[in-house]
Amino acid sequence: MTQPASVPSTPTPGAPPVGVRTGGRAEAPLRRPALAVTVLAGAVILTGVIELLLLPLQGPFEAMQYVVQGFYLVMVPVSLAFSASVLWLLAASGNARVDERRLSRQPLLMLGLLVLSALVFPAGQLLALFLRMLGVGDDTAVGYGLRTAIGNLFTSGGTMLLTAIIGMLALLLLRRPHRAEQTHRIPVGPVPVAVVLLITALLLAGIVPLQNLGPQWAALDWEVLQALHSLLTVAKGLLAALLVLTMGLLLALTAGRTRKVLWAGFIAYWVTQLLTVVLIRAFVFQMLSGAAAGGDWFTPVAGMVDVLGTLLLAATSVVVIVLLARRSQIPRS
C-alpha cells in the first residue's frame, strides 16, 4: 500500500537532515571547479618550492639566471590559472542564488584567502623598503642578496601557505559537498562592485606609466628613486588585490550574458598579463646576454600591453554596468 504524501517517512540513521542536498544538482557545478582549485593549488606550491631552490643557484652558476627567468614563464601561467579556478568556483557557488546575492561560505573564504595571497607581494616590498631604511644589507651584491633572500622567503612562503589552505578547503568541499549549502549574503549588489572594478582598473592603468618614467627621474637621489619605485610597486600590488576581490564578487553576483561578458574581459586581461611577462623576460634575457642595447623597445611595449589589459577591464566594467542598468529597468511580473 502506498504511503500518503502527507506522512513523512522515518529518516535513516546517519542520513543528512532534510534540506541538505548531498550530491544533488545544486552541488554538481562545484565539483569540477573545486577539483581544478585543488590540483592547481598543488601546482602553485610545487613551482614555489622549485623557485626557492633555483634562486640561490644564480650566484654560483651563471647559466642558472637563464633557467630562473625561463621558469617564471611557467610560474605566472600556473598562478593565473589558479586564481581563475578560485573565481570559477565562487561563480559556480552563486549560480542558483544570484538574485538573493547569496554565496557559499567556503568558496567565499577561498576568495578572501586569494586576496590575502595577492597582498603578500606588496607586503614583501614594504618589508624590503623597511630593511633598507634600517640599513640591513647594502647595495653590494651581498647586502642586496640578503634583502632579496628575506623578501623571497616572505613572499613565497606566505603565498604557498595561503595556497595550501585554499587547496585543502577545496578538497574538503569535494569530500563533503553538503558544505555548499552554508551560504552568506553579500550586502552590496553587482553595480557598486562593477563601479569599484572600473575605478581600480583605471588607477592601475595610471600607475603603469609612472613606473616607466625612470629616465625622467634620473636626477633624483638613488635612495629616493628606489623608495619611490617601491612605493609605486606597493600601490600597484594593493590595487591588484582589490582587482581580484571585485572580479570574484562580480562573477558570483551576475549570471547569463553579463557573466559571459565578464569572463571574456577577464580572459583578455589575463592574456595581456601573460604577454607582458613574456616581453619583460625577453628583455631580461637580452640584458643577461649583453645585447640589451637593441632591445630597449621591450620595456615600453610591455608597459603599453599592461595598460591595454587594465583598460580592457575598465571597458568590461562599463559594459556590465550598462547591462545591469538595462536589466533593472525591465519590469518583472
Side-chain angles (χ1 to χ4, degrees):
M1 182 175 180
T2 305
Q3 185 178 7
S6 59
V7 180
S9 58
T10 304
T12 305
V18 177
V20 177
R21 295 167 291 180
T22 57
R25 293 182 181 179
E27 294 161 1
L30 299 182
R31 291 174 182 165
R32 286 164 59 183
L35 180 61
V37 172
T38 305
V39 173
L40 289 170
V44 170
I45 295 172
L46 178 62
T47 55
V49 171
I50 294 176
E51 180 194 18
L52 290 177
L53 295 176
L54 290 178
L55 287 177
L57 299 177
Q58 291 184 102
F61 306 100
E62 185 177 350
M64 290 303 298
Q65 296 180 3
Y66 295 92
V67 176
V68 171
Q69 296 302 320
F71 185 69
Y72 285 136
L73 297 177
V74 177
M75 285 190 65
V76 174
V78 170
S79 178
L80 288 177
F82 172 67
S83 299
S85 67
V86 175
L87 299 189
W88 180 22
L89 179 60
L90 184 68
S93 73
N95 274 339
R97 312 181 182 99
V98 170
D99 292 334
E100 294 81 13
R101 305 205 303 262
R102 302 199 69 87
L103 304 178
S104 296
R105 290 182 181 177
Q106 205 150 306
L108 192 59
L109 175 59
M110 294 181 201
L111 177 65
L113 293 171
L114 184 65
V115 173
L116 282 179
S117 68
L119 290 172
V120 169
F121 176 73
Q125 293 293 313
L126 284 176
L127 176 62
L129 181 60
F130 183 67
L131 291 176
R132 187 182 300 120
M133 292 174 61
L134 290 180
V136 177
D138 49 34
D139 289 332
T140 63
V142 176
Y144 178 76
L146 175 61
R147 289 199 299 265
T148 302
I150 294 174
N152 287 333
L153 285 174
F154 177 83
T155 304
S156 299
T159 300
M160 286 190 288
L161 175 61
L162 292 169
T163 301
I165 297 174
I166 294 174
M168 288 187 291
L169 289 174
L171 183 61
L172 186 62
L173 193 60
L174 276 173
R175 300 187 62 179
R176 300 180 182 178
H178 63 273
R179 288 178 173 265
E181 296 297 328
Q182 300 175 359
T183 62
H184 180 77
R185 189 175 188 273
I186 304 300
V188 296
V191 174
V193 178
V195 172
V196 174
L197 177 61
L198 171 62
I199 296 173
T200 305
L202 292 176
L203 289 175
L204 271 173
I207 283 183
V208 174
L210 292 177
Q211 287 186 308
N212 296 327
L213 289 178
Q216 286 76 1
W217 293 344
L220 294 178
D221 181 75
W222 173 245
E223 290 293 331
V224 175
L225 186 61
Q226 281 188 313
L228 186 59
H229 186 271
S230 297
L231 291 176
L232 286 174
T233 304
V234 169
K236 187 177 181 181
L238 293 175
L239 289 173
L242 182 58
L243 206 66
V244 173
L245 177 63
T246 52
M247 288 167 69
L249 290 179
L250 200 52
L251 275 175
L253 293 172
T254 55
R257 184 173 60 172
T258 305
R259 182 177 288 182
K260 291 179 181 178
V261 170
L262 284 172
W263 275 123
F266 293 169
I267 291 172
Y269 169 70
W270 289 326
V271 169
T272 61
Q273 293 294 294
L274 291 176
L275 184 56
T276 300
V277 171
V278 171
L279 289 170
I280 291 175
R281 297 307 160 191
F283 177 69
V284 174
F285 274 126
Q286 284 210 345
M287 288 184 61
L288 292 175
S289 62
D296 294 338
W297 59 274
F298 277 116
T299 301
V301 171
M304 291 175 59
V305 174
D306 201 359
V307 171
L308 175 62
T310 54
L311 291 180
L312 284 174
L313 273 184
T316 302
S317 305
V318 173
V319 174
V320 168
I321 291 172
V322 171
L323 291 175
L324 293 172
R326 288 181 178 178
R327 179 188 172 191
S328 64
Q329 294 174 359
I330 299 176
R332 299 183 182 181
S333 55

